[in-house]
Amino acid sequence: MTAKYVTLIERTMAAIDTPAARGPRIRVDLQLIADMVAPGSRVLDVGCGDGALLDYLVHFKQVDGRGIELSQAGVNACVAAGLSAIQGDADTDLADYPDNAFDYVILSQTLQATRDPRKVLENLVRIGKRAIVSFPNFGHWRVRWYLGWVGRMPETAALPDRWYNTPNIHLCTISDFVGLCKELDVEIEKALAIDDKGKAIRVFGHWLANLVGEQGMFLLRQRD
Amino acid sequence: MTSLSVHAPGKAPELPGKRLSFGERRLKLDCGVDLPGVTLAYQTYGTLNAEKSNAILICHALTGDQFVADQNPVTGKPGWWQVMIGPGLPIDTDRFFVICANVLGGCMGTTGPSSTDPATGQPYGLGFPVITVGDMVRLQSWLIDHLGIDKLFAVIGGSMGGMQVLQWAATYPDRVFAAVPIACAARHSAQNIAFHEVGRQAIMADPEWRKGAYQAEGTNPSRGLSVARMAAHITYLSEAALHRKFGRNLQDRSAVTYGFDADFQVESYLRHQGSIFVDRFDANSYLYITRAMDYFDLAAQFGGHLPRAFKDTKTRFCLVSFTSDWLFPTSESRAIVHALNAVAANVSFVEIESDKGHDAFLLDEPEFFKVLRGFLDGCAELRGIR
């Protein structure tokens, strides 16, 4: 395992180091994503919602940012806020973009809701020099306990929906995801296990991350 | 009717407003003709800043004109986009310098088929060369040169105006900071060409049309033009809007009359729309401008590959469509978005929920206004416009 799980202490230090440069607060897990993005870069946020992360990146990291969002209301809110966004989804709209069009392509909490996550991942690392992907971890101990003990589809903070109305049609574990990356020759430059508060947890190795992480978050790159 | 004057073709030179004449300078048209003696009629609103960085060019639609934000001198009605353009409005004339010119081929002061042919001293009529959206934009660029503006802050337009916006962005990418093509397409569809053909045939079937020489012969094909407008007007609305407005309601009567009077309100409405249109528009202009739209196919200008039209563009795009617009449906805008994505252009695309059909872009649609204001504010921030 070459990937390094960044420690909580490192995160906390970073947060204390430059409070002035950070501006307004965004959701903690979005902040973790923002921290991975180099200032002044070109960013595509897939599933950008109402543009909270994009707005932060544009104003506090001076990125050239674009968003794709499924909900028209979300897109309209983004554009009305001066952000570039289009209506679309990860399954159908990523194929349009040329190779290496962006420095970072972000897919936050969406991979598990796509029809073809493998194709989506291939596209992410194709059109972005780097991709940042986060998803709810189905290998978390609480999920395992729920399924193993209660015998029903797990409902947790990260997975609040019932089995019949969840948009999450392709749930996976951190280990599953790491396996797919290996299969696609995608290099994991950074991996974070994230707790239910959205904070990075200090752990070593994917196996443990897979047990204690509510979410996995990865910085990825297609190997040449 | 509120008309201040009946707009007989050829009276356009007497209309108020700004004029720019190019004398002997010849406009190279796509059809191969070099057109001399071109005049452009235009209006401006607001003030051009010292850096000349705050200019917005508004491109009008098929039957629009340069009176976008002040009273129309022919109809006496407010400008066609006066709800959008003005102090404090989304296109804020306290911040931006707004330019709108009557298109080439028009009948509101810019050279068109009703203008005098310098070679004959007679109105051009069908002697006027067939023009394209590309020609319209080329002439507009002369105006922008004349105003000393290197780069427009934005080019904005709906319908045929949107086609001009796309043409601007493709032909002069370095002169367009932001482009807002609204309710338009990168090429005119077969269905839309078909509707235009119906309109043209209605005009040409009018015995007063006289093969286009009605000015010289002292006639006016107003019945044909009015039918053309009625047919077109239906395409600007939606089934839902027509139903909401009129349903099957009868016009000033309690029962159908078993005749061909305007029994239904919708008939009466269309007849009215047709009749007021002929007071402000020239039949030959209608032929020429609809033809320009029919010929519009941006991809064809770039080897059949639409993304090539926008290769390496730095322009920021914001496309807008309306849910009930079946003349330029959302799928047309989406095709442009796909092409822009293929070159990783900076593009926003919003679809506005509205039951008002194609005409929605001219109306007070709060969501649309909010989006356009936000887009322009964001761009102005980047462009350093206060």
Side-chain angles (χ1 to χ4, degrees):
Chain A
M1 258 345 117
T2 51
K4 167 177 159 249
Y5 277 85
V6 179
T7 67
L8 176 59
I9 294 165
E10 279 174 28
R11 288 293 108 217
T12 314
M13 290 310 291
I16 295 166
D17 275 347
T18 52
R22 279 161 193 283
R25 294 197 168 277
I26 49 172
R27 231 171 56 207
V28 192
D29 59 322
L30 295 183
Q31 183 68 60
L32 291 175
I33 293 175
D35 290 347
M36 292 186 188
V37 173
S41 50
R42 276 163 72 92
V43 176
L44 178 67
D45 185 1
V46 185
C48 62
D50 63 0
L53 175 61
L54 208 51
D55 189 60
Y56 179 91
L57 291 172
V58 166
H59 287 103
F60 298 100
K61 290 228 162 174
Q62 288 73 46
V63 305
D64 175 6
R66 331 275 169 79
I68 298 182
E69 168 57 32
L70 192 57
S71 110
Q72 192 59 60
V75 174
N76 294 11
C78 286
V79 180
L83 302 167
S84 298
I86 63 166
Q87 197 272 333
D89 71 60
D91 277 304
T92 52
D93 292 280
L94 296 181
D96 289 338
Y97 293 94
D99 297 355
N100 293 322
F102 299 95
D103 296 310
Y104 300 91
V105 181
I106 299 168
L107 187 72
S108 162
Q109 301 292 323
T110 304
L111 186 70
Q112 76 285 353
T114 63
R115 280 192 302 280
D116 190 346
R118 182 191 166 106
K119 186 81 209 155
V120 168
L121 184 58
E122 283 174 343
N123 270 322
L124 292 176
V125 292
R126 177 184 66 79
I127 67 182
K129 291 175 187 148
R130 285 186 169 72
I132 301 171
V133 178
S134 74
F135 55 86
N137 173 28
F138 212 69
H140 186 258
W141 67 266
R142 210 178 278 124
V143 174
R144 298 189 198 195
W145 174 82
Y146 204 108
L147 190 60
W149 192 253
V150 181
R152 290 181 160 215
M153 281 302 281
E155 286 169 39
T156 66
L159 300 165
D161 302 303
R162 305 299 296 269
W163 67 271
Y164 50 80
N165 66 1
T166 179
N168 301 327
I169 54 174
H170 282 121
L171 286 159
C172 70
T173 70
I174 285 179
S175 297
D176 288 329
F177 184 77
V178 169
L180 180 60
C181 288
K182 207 173 272 175
E183 214 177 304
L184 298 178
D185 203 19
V186 169
E187 182 186 338
I188 298 173
E189 291 196 338
K190 198 180 272 184
L192 300 177
I194 292 169
D195 68 13
D196 55 355
K197 305 277 188 305
K199 293 208 171 99
I201 314 169
R202 176 177 189 162
V203 286
F204 297 99
H206 293 308
W207 189 87
L208 199 55
N210 195 28
L211 199 59
V212 301
E214 287 252 13
Q215 290 179 44
M217 186 180 291
F218 294 81
L219 178 64
L220 307 167
R221 189 178 72 86
Q222 181 70 64
R223 282 207 181 83
D224 302 324
Chain B
M1 207 171 64
T2 54
S3 286
L4 298 180
S5 64
V6 171
H7 178 51
K11 286 276 170 61
E14 294 157 29
L15 289 171
K18 298 183 165 121
R19 294 286 187 285
L20 184 60
S21 289
F22 294 98
E24 281 310 298
R25 184 176 176 190
R26 284 166 181 265
L27 183 68
K28 260 191 178 330
L29 302 177
D30 287 337
C31 68
V33 172
D34 291 345
L35 191 66
V38 177
T39 295
L40 192 62
Y42 68 103
Q43 294 293 96
T44 66
Y45 310 87
T47 313
L48 187 61
N49 63 14
E51 302 81 32
K52 300 194 172 186
S53 65
N54 68 336
I56 294 181
L57 177 68
I58 305 291
C59 301
H60 70 71
L62 168 57
T63 67
D65 53 47
Q66 68 272 36
F67 300 102
V68 58
D70 55 350
Q71 191 191 48
N72 189 296
V74 176
T75 64
K77 289 180 180 165
W80 59 268
W81 227 9
Q82 209 158 327
V83 290
M84 179 67 89
I85 302 170
L89 294 175
I91 300 175
D92 188 349
T93 49
D94 287 339
R95 286 179 96 187
F96 304 120
F97 176 63
V98 175
I99 308 157
C100 186
N102 188 210
V103 293
L104 180 67
C107 54
M108 290 290 277
T110 295
T111 302
S114 59
S115 306
T116 303
D117 180 352
T120 64
Q122 291 293 311
Y124 276 106
L126 288 198
F128 195 68
V130 169
I131 47 156
T132 65
V133 169
D135 296 331
M136 294 174 182
V137 165
R138 202 168 302 124
L139 179 57
Q140 286 163 2
S141 78
W142 288 9
L143 170 63
I144 304 310
D145 292 341
H146 167 80
L147 295 171
I149 297 163
D150 282 338
K151 188 173 202 161
L152 289 160
F153 168 61
V155 185
I156 304 173
S159 200
M160 185 183 80
M163 292 175 168
Q164 294 164 64
V165 174
L166 293 171
Q167 187 72 58
W168 258 99
T171 313
Y172 308 104
D174 299 332
R175 302 192 72 178
V176 183
F177 185 78
V180 187
I182 302 160
C184 69
R187 84 230 182 312
H188 216 213
S189 69
Q191 178 173 268
N192 289 1
I193 294 170
F195 278 119
H196 276 173
E197 176 60 2
V198 170
R200 285 189 295 264
Q201 288 299 331
I203 290 167
M204 294 189 283
D206 188 326
E208 302 222 335
W209 180 61
R210 307 285 165 97
K211 289 187 166 27
Y214 49 88
Q215 279 168 276
E217 303 205 10
T219 58
N220 192 352
S222 54
R223 271 174 301 171
L225 181 59
S226 146
V227 171
R229 177 62 168 182
M230 287 168 73
H233 201 86
I234 301 167
T235 69
Y236 304 151
L237 305 173
S238 69
E239 206 275 333
L242 280 176
H243 181 76
R244 178 165 41 75
K245 230 169 165 173
F246 309 109
R248 290 181 51 82
N249 297 341
L250 300 178
Q251 180 70 35
D252 304 327
R253 62 200 69 187
S254 51
V256 295
T257 61
Y258 296 95
F260 296 102
D261 270 1
D263 277 351
F264 295 98
Q265 281 181 7
V266 67
E267 294 173 290
S268 172
Y269 169 77
L270 277 184
R271 289 181 187 193
H272 174 70
Q273 291 300 327
S275 74
I276 57 171
F277 181 63
V278 300
D279 289 336
R280 70 174 180 90
F281 215 82
D282 173 50
N284 284 338
S285 274
Y286 197 87
L287 300 182
Y288 277 90
I289 299 176
T290 54
R291 205 71 186 133
M293 288 179 78
D294 292 352
Y295 281 0
F296 187 66
D297 181 351
L298 192 57
Q301 299 173 32
F302 293 86
H305 192 57
L306 190 56
R308 212 169 287 156
F310 306 114
K311 196 175 172 291
D312 298 326
T313 184
K314 297 274 181 292
T315 303
R316 301 172 75 85
F317 289 83
C318 180
L319 286 102
V320 182
S321 71
F322 297 88
T323 50
S324 57
D325 184 349
W326 55 279
L327 194 61
F328 292 97
T330 290
S331 55
E332 299 280 9
S333 292
R334 206 175 279 283
I336 300 165
V337 171
H338 285 308
L340 287 164
N341 282 343
V343 295
N346 193 314
V347 53
S348 289
F349 168 47
V350 295
E351 185 187 35
I352 304 291
E353 184 83 32
S354 166
D355 76 347
K356 300 198 179 78
H358 182 58
D359 260 356
F361 86 89
L362 296 167
L363 305 171
D364 183 7
E365 291 281 350
E367 183 79 359
F368 171 40
F369 281 38
K370 213 168 79 188
V371 161
L372 189 53
R373 186 191 287 274
F375 175 74
L376 290 177
D377 283 353
C379 290
E381 197 182 315
L382 288 167
R383 187 85 171 118
I385 301 170
R386 266 167 290 123

